[in-house]
Each structure stands twice: as structure tokens, then as C-alpha cells.
Amino acid sequence: MKTLWGSCNIGAKRIWLNLELAKKPKSCLVYVWVHEMVHLLERDHNDRFRELMDTFLPQWRTYRDELNRAPLAYEDWEY
């Protein structure tokens, strides 16, 4: 995954996570995991989605903002 932190296939009930999350704070990984799990219950980013996020991870907005400030990947090719 080069452009997303996570993805969900609702029909197959499968979640993919970007391996770059291993380099981020644990809270960011938890946020993406919960976000994608909630998509199994609610497809869209609507009021119900936000209510479910508030229920399962009340601090999700803080974690989302932290993750959005971080680069998707670090590319340091200097030796």
C-alpha cells in the first residue's frame, strides 16, 4: 500500500494494513485497525460511523490527526 494506511473489503470481511504503521506510534495502528473494523459495521463515513468510532475508541480524532501529520513512509536512501 503506497497511498493508504488501511483498507477494508466489506464483502470478504478482510482488512489490509499498511506495513509502514509498524513505524508509527501504537495508538496510530490501533486507530487504523478500529477504523477498518468499524467499516465492517458501517460502510460510509457518516454519523453512525463516527458514533461507532466514539464508542470503540473515544480518542480516535486525536490519533487520526497524529497519523495525518506523519508522512506515509520514510525514504532515506543515504548510506
Side-chain angles (χ1 to χ4, degrees), residues 28-52:
C28 294
L29 172 62
V30 171
Y31 160 70
V32 174
W33 180 255
V34 172
H35 180 105
E36 298 305 332
M37 292 287 288
V38 168
H39 274 306
L40 296 176
L41 301 172
E42 177 57 53
R43 181 180 189 120
D44 299 318
H45 292 117
N46 56 23
D47 288 341
R48 180 169 184 255
F49 178 88
R50 289 185 289 278
E51 288 172 11
L52 289 167

Side-chain angles (χ1 to χ4, degrees), residues 23-79:
K23 299 176 185 176
K24 307 297 182 220
K26 183 180 175 183
S27 58
C28 294
L29 172 62
V30 171
Y31 160 70
V32 174
W33 180 255
V34 172
H35 180 105
E36 298 305 332
M37 292 287 288
V38 168
H39 274 306
L40 296 176
L41 301 172
E42 177 57 53
R43 181 180 189 120
D44 299 318
H45 292 117
N46 56 23
D47 288 341
R48 180 169 184 255
F49 178 88
R50 289 185 289 278
E51 288 172 11
L52 289 167
M53 287 295 292
D54 287 339
T55 298
F56 296 122
L57 191 65
Q59 311 87 346
W60 69 272
R61 289 174 180 86
T62 301
Y63 302 150
R64 177 199 59 198
D65 294 345
E66 179 181 4
L67 189 58
N68 285 338
R69 284 190 301 270
L72 185 60
Y74 292 99
E75 293 187 20
D76 185 4
W77 295 95
E78 294 181 29
Y79 292 96

Side-chain angles (χ1 to χ4, degrees), residues 1-40:
M1 296 182 131
K2 293 184 179 185
T3 60
L4 299 172
W5 291 115
S7 181
C8 177
N9 181 315
I10 296 168
K13 297 191 184 312
R14 290 193 183 133
I15 292 173
W16 292 268
L17 299 176
N18 188 318
L19 294 178
E20 288 292 322
L21 282 169
K23 299 176 185 176
K24 307 297 182 220
K26 183 180 175 183
S27 58
C28 294
L29 172 62
V30 171
Y31 160 70
V32 174
W33 180 255
V34 172
H35 180 105
E36 298 305 332
M37 292 287 288
V38 168
H39 274 306
L40 296 176

